[in-house]
Amino acid sequence: MLRIAVQSKGRLFDDTMNLLNEADIKVGASKRTLLVSAQNFPLEVLYLRDDDIPQSVATGVADLGVVGENEYEERGAEAEIIQRLGFSKCRLSLAIPKEIEYQGLSWFNGKTIATSYPVILQKFLKKNGINAEIHVITGSVEISPGIGLADAIFDIVSSGSTLVSNNLREVEVVMQSEALLIGHPGMSHEKREVLEQMLFRFEAVRQAEDKKYVRMNAPKSRLQEIISVLPGLKSPTVIPLADDEWCSVHTVLDEKRFWEIIGKLKEMGAQGILVTPIEKMIL
């Protein structure tokens, strides 16, 4: 049985549980239960605070963990990065009151910076030769300048709306962050085999992201033209129809270019275009 540590609430919890669900790993979410087993896969989920996950994986309490890159770097736990998951993206940034004129990092010399990430901040300040006082605070870091506790803050930024509502503006991005799947270095061979099965499912889900399965009726007289504009994985599937002058073409399109390509197909005489989402894709 493989054990994975997951944040007990918040955006990272939601994104992680969605990934497990899309990979057909059924786990019941319960706020009252610390440890829950999957119904159809040899996996159990351990619900923890996000800042406890890196150490839990490093010490082997959990075999795996899903944690923000910011927490992984801050805790410095000896756990290996198995995969970048591509969701729960944010950044760690320095922000100051918006009315202050900012001309560069030297502004922070002699200032007090409030943060929940002192390790990452200290490394950044040392690297750039900045001498500032770090005030460690948990909770609502963004209110610190407003109540006179600090001159600036170093905190997570996603949309930036929290900074705006507290009359702050972002002036330096220190690091980008996303969800990481981390693992215990001493994981057994048997558990790594289960991990490989889970990663295989994750990859199938990832490959299907922003992809559409497209079927259309196409005139055979323009078939080669139509095929030339289809950026499918390989060659599109072409199926004969009862009408000898027509065929059915099946392919996969990236959503980013979907409307551009569909417009060209219409111009080339394609009809009856049917578009469906893709849940999984195995290459």
Side-chain angles (χ1 to χ4, degrees):
M1 179 76 74
L2 200 62
R3 179 180 293 175
I4 183 170
V6 171
Q7 184 175 315
S8 57
K9 59 182 179 179
R11 177 186 169 194
L12 190 54
F13 165 82
D14 294 334
D15 288 342
T16 303
M17 300 312 290
N18 285 339
L19 175 61
L20 291 174
N21 184 60
E22 289 173 358
D24 293 326
I25 300 174
K26 307 300 182 184
V27 180
S30 173
K31 295 181 179 180
R32 297 183 179 181
T33 306
L34 183 65
L35 191 64
V36 178
S37 295
Q39 301 168 13
N40 59 345
F41 193 82
L43 181 77
E44 55 184 9
V45 177
L46 177 63
Y47 296 111
L48 297 175
R49 285 168 46 98
D50 56 347
D51 52 0
D52 290 333
I53 292 175
Q55 189 63 22
S56 296
V57 175
T59 57
V61 172
D63 304 301
L64 302 169
V66 177
V67 66
E69 190 171 358
N70 52 307
E71 288 293 346
Y72 176 78
E73 291 293 334
E74 179 67 21
R75 305 302 160 186
E78 295 181 1
E80 61 177 305
I81 297 176
I82 293 174
Q83 189 175 82
R84 292 180 172 273
L85 296 175
F87 56 73
S88 295
K89 292 186 177 181
C90 62
R91 56 195 181 272
L92 279 174
S93 298
L94 285 160
I96 64 174
K98 65 180 183 180
E99 68 273 9
I100 293 177
E101 183 180 352
Y102 181 74
Q103 297 181 338
L105 276 174
S106 59
W107 181 88
F108 290 98
N109 275 311
K111 300 295 194 300
T112 299
I113 307 171
T115 185
S116 299
Y117 300 94
V119 174
I120 297 173
L121 178 57
Q122 183 58 54
K123 288 179 181 178
F124 177 78
L125 296 177
K126 183 177 180 180
K127 177 183 177 181
N128 289 279
I130 303 299
N131 183 23
E133 180 182 346
I134 297 175
H135 184 84
V136 181
I137 187 172
T138 57
S140 302
V141 174
E142 65 277 359
I143 68 171
S144 300
I147 62 175
L149 192 60
D151 301 297
I153 69 167
F154 177 63
D155 201 15
I156 291 175
V157 178
S158 183
S159 66
S161 59
T162 301
L163 294 182
V164 172
S165 63
N166 285 275
N167 294 314
L168 299 172
R169 64 186 176 102
E170 187 177 10
V171 292
E172 298 286 344
V173 177
V174 174
M175 72 170 283
Q176 299 288 340
S177 178
E178 65 179 292
L180 302 176
L181 179 66
I182 60 175
H184 178 56
M187 206 184 312
S188 69
H189 175 71
E190 292 76 13
K191 289 184 176 183
R192 287 196 178 272
E193 286 185 339
V194 178
L195 170 60
E196 288 303 318
Q197 295 176 37
M198 188 172 72
L199 292 176
F200 174 75
R201 295 191 184 196
F202 285 177
E203 184 62 20
V205 171
R206 179 176 296 192
Q207 289 293 338
E209 288 178 355
D210 300 322
K211 299 290 193 305
K212 301 293 183 183
Y213 188 73
V214 180
R215 290 168 283 182
M216 72 199 81
N217 293 332
K220 285 185 178 179
S221 61
R222 306 197 68 177
L223 180 59
Q224 293 307 313
E225 291 179 71
I226 288 172
I227 290 176
S228 69
V229 302
L230 296 177
L233 297 175
K234 291 184 179 178
S235 175
T237 300
V238 179
I239 302 172
L241 295 177
D243 187 335
D244 288 339
E245 295 184 358
W246 288 79
C247 59
S248 179
V249 180
H250 297 207
T251 191
V252 174
L253 296 181
D254 192 308
E255 195 166 19
K256 292 179 181 178
R257 295 191 59 200
F258 175 78
W259 288 111
E260 169 196 346
I261 294 171
I262 290 296
K264 292 180 180 179
L265 294 173
K266 290 281 290 181
E267 291 174 2
M268 294 176 179
Q271 297 179 6
I273 301 173
L274 180 63
V275 182
T276 54
I278 300 174
E279 289 188 1
K280 285 92 179 171
M281 184 182 296
I282 300 170
L283 302 178

